[in-house]
Amino acid sequence: TLFFIDSKEIAEFVSQKRLFRLIDVNILEEEIQNFQTEIKQQVLNTIAKFKKQSKKIEDDGRNEYENLKKQIEQDKKTHFENGNKIEKADKNLTALNSLYANFLRKFNEFISALESGKQLGEVSNSIKQIEKEFYDEKKKLDYPTQISSLNNNRNTGSFPLQRPYSEFSHQTEEKQSKNTVFLIISFVLNLLLIGALVFFTMFYEKEKKQEVIPDVSPVHQETVVNEASDNDNIWKSKLNPLPNKMALNAENRNLDLNKLTDSTTHVEEIVDLIFEKNKIIKDVYLFQKKDYVDDLIKENPNAFDSKKVLKRKDSLLKIPFYSESSTKNIAE
């Protein structure tokens, strides 16, 4: 979405808030050309990706076919061998049944002989003989080995043509999801832009009406008249809205100086601490941290070195902030 605006102040404001990317109208055609080139490159990359995927589908299909063919041939061979084993086992089953039937018949005959009064020693020797003959005949029978099971380790990746279809569906759904997210983001950004314009207008008009910048401390008072007289020599803050008060004492500053260490604490860490301890400052300048860093250094020049590292924490005396009420205390 493109927005055209001729207000430099509003453009700079939304840029500081990082709501939109600013583009000079003189290079608009170039940006559009770059965007079109990027779209073409994305199409070419997608085509190359699909061709690579097409080759993979072809290779997967060929490999799946060969593997399945080999597996079926092996299963057929195993099936044939199992058939022979079953046939041989069936024959041995008949012979084994006959062998046990004969042994049982003879064994019962010897029992009847003992019951008829035949000598135990003679019967015992006869039983031992038929037992030996039984086990010798039994050993001659070939017991079949366990039949082989068919190979059930089928590749779950069979039918490779189904995978790219699901992948393409996933890509389509992902693209639709991204489009939905883009529309939501565009809607939210539009609302933020409207809110930012209202916010800017309110504070811009209020700043124009201010004649004196108030201070929490009666010692620190500077009038707009004095500021205007030395306008060329005074550093200008980039904060929006401009700070109109200074917290000058430890109670109002609401800082835990024990957390600050000379020669090691960077100014950005101090700003994070200020935002943490002072909600009224955080709410106004949260998205202008870099500019707030510059203001803090400017107001406390003796507290920081050239690398923006704290030199003396007892020199950190002025904490800039903005307040709509001249009586409102900074520590909330």
Side-chain angles (χ1 to χ4, degrees), residues 108-119:
N108 289 333
E109 288 177 357
F110 285 122
I111 294 175
S112 299
L114 283 175
E115 291 175 345
S116 301
K118 200 169 183 178
Q119 295 295 324

Side-chain angles (χ1 to χ4, degrees), residues 216-251:
V216 174
S217 171
V219 177
H220 184 77
Q221 294 183 356
E222 295 179 352
T223 64
V224 175
V225 177
N226 293 333
E227 187 174 304
S229 62
D230 297 328
N231 189 47
D232 295 334
N233 298 324
I234 295 179
W235 174 81
K236 294 182 179 180
S237 173
K238 295 181 180 180
L239 291 174
N240 189 359
L242 291 172
N244 57 8
K245 293 185 179 182
M246 290 289 169
L248 301 179
N249 53 73
E251 291 76 16

Side-chain angles (χ1 to χ4, degrees), residues 272-296:
D272 290 337
L273 182 60
I274 292 174
F275 286 176
E276 177 185 348
K277 297 292 184 178
N278 299 276
K279 185 176 183 298
I280 189 173
I281 299 179
K282 178 181 178 181
D283 290 345
V284 178
Y285 298 123
L286 177 61
F287 299 104
Q288 303 179 62
K289 181 177 177 181
K290 181 178 181 298
D291 294 334
Y292 192 88
V293 165
D294 295 339
D295 273 49
L296 186 64

Side-chain angles (χ1 to χ4, degrees), residues 7-257:
S7 174
K8 182 179 180 181
E9 291 80 4
I10 295 178
E12 290 179 350
F13 178 79
V14 297
S15 178
Q16 287 180 358
K17 294 295 184 178
R18 297 181 181 178
L19 300 178
F20 296 97
R21 176 187 172 192
L22 292 181
I23 299 177
D24 195 315
V25 70
N26 296 324
I27 62 171
L28 180 60
E29 291 294 333
E30 180 181 349
E31 290 291 330
I32 293 176
Q33 183 64 33
N34 292 338
F35 177 75
Q36 292 176 343
T37 303
E38 181 180 350
I39 293 298
K40 290 180 181 179
Q41 186 61 46
Q42 289 179 356
V43 173
L44 293 176
N45 293 340
T46 302
I47 292 174
K49 178 181 177 181
F50 284 176
K51 286 184 177 180
K52 182 178 179 180
Q53 195 165 19
S54 176
K55 180 65 168 58
K56 185 177 185 299
I57 293 171
E58 181 181 356
D59 294 340
D60 289 347
R62 181 170 56 253
N63 293 334
E64 292 282 353
Y65 175 82
E66 293 296 331
N67 293 336
L68 186 59
K69 182 180 178 182
K70 291 179 182 179
Q71 185 172 304
I72 292 174
E73 292 175 352
Q74 181 63 37
D75 289 347
K76 288 181 178 180
K77 181 180 178 181
T78 302
H79 183 71
F80 177 75
E81 293 174 350
N82 288 340
N84 292 335
K85 292 178 181 179
I86 292 172
E87 183 179 356
K88 187 174 182 179
D90 191 45
K91 293 179 180 179
N92 288 335
L93 180 63
T94 302
L96 183 66
N97 183 58
S98 177
L99 183 62
Y100 268 97
N102 291 333
F103 177 65
L104 180 62
R105 179 179 55 81
K106 292 179 181 180
F107 198 85
N108 289 333
E109 288 177 357
F110 285 122
I111 294 175
S112 299
L114 283 175
E115 291 175 345
S116 301
K118 200 169 183 178
Q119 295 295 324
L120 178 61
E122 183 181 351
V123 172
S124 297
N125 291 332
S126 299
I127 289 178
K128 291 179 180 179
Q129 181 63 31
I130 65 171
E131 283 181 344
K132 182 177 180 302
E133 292 175 356
F134 170 76
Y135 287 113
D136 289 342
E137 290 296 325
K138 187 177 179 182
K139 290 179 181 178
K140 294 179 182 180
L141 297 177
D142 292 330
Y143 282 89
T145 58
Q146 185 177 3
I147 63 175
S148 303
S149 60
L150 298 179
N151 188 2
N152 291 325
N153 297 324
R154 301 289 176 87
N155 191 340
T156 57
S158 300
F159 311 107
L161 289 178
Q162 294 179 358
R163 293 184 304 187
Y165 172 78
S166 61
E167 184 172 343
F168 294 155
S169 299
H170 176 70
Q171 291 175 350
T172 302
E173 293 174 0
E174 184 178 357
K175 184 176 180 180
Q176 292 176 348
S177 177
K178 288 182 177 179
N179 290 337
T180 303
V181 172
F182 176 76
L183 291 175
I184 294 174
I185 292 175
S186 298
F187 177 74
V188 172
L189 289 177
N190 289 334
L191 291 179
L192 288 176
L193 177 61
I194 295 173
L197 294 176
V198 173
F199 180 84
F200 176 79
T201 303
M202 290 173 56
F203 285 100
Y204 182 74
E205 292 297 329
K206 188 173 294 185
E207 287 174 14
K208 290 197 301 182
K209 296 179 180 179
Q210 289 179 346
E211 295 180 355
V212 179
I213 300 179
D215 195 343
V216 174
S217 171
V219 177
H220 184 77
Q221 294 183 356
E222 295 179 352
T223 64
V224 175
V225 177
N226 293 333
E227 187 174 304
S229 62
D230 297 328
N231 189 47
D232 295 334
N233 298 324
I234 295 179
W235 174 81
K236 294 182 179 180
S237 173
K238 295 181 180 180
L239 291 174
N240 189 359
L242 291 172
N244 57 8
K245 293 185 179 182
M246 290 289 169
L248 301 179
N249 53 73
E251 291 76 16
N252 230 2
R253 187 165 61 242
N254 200 19
L255 285 179
D256 186 358
L257 297 181

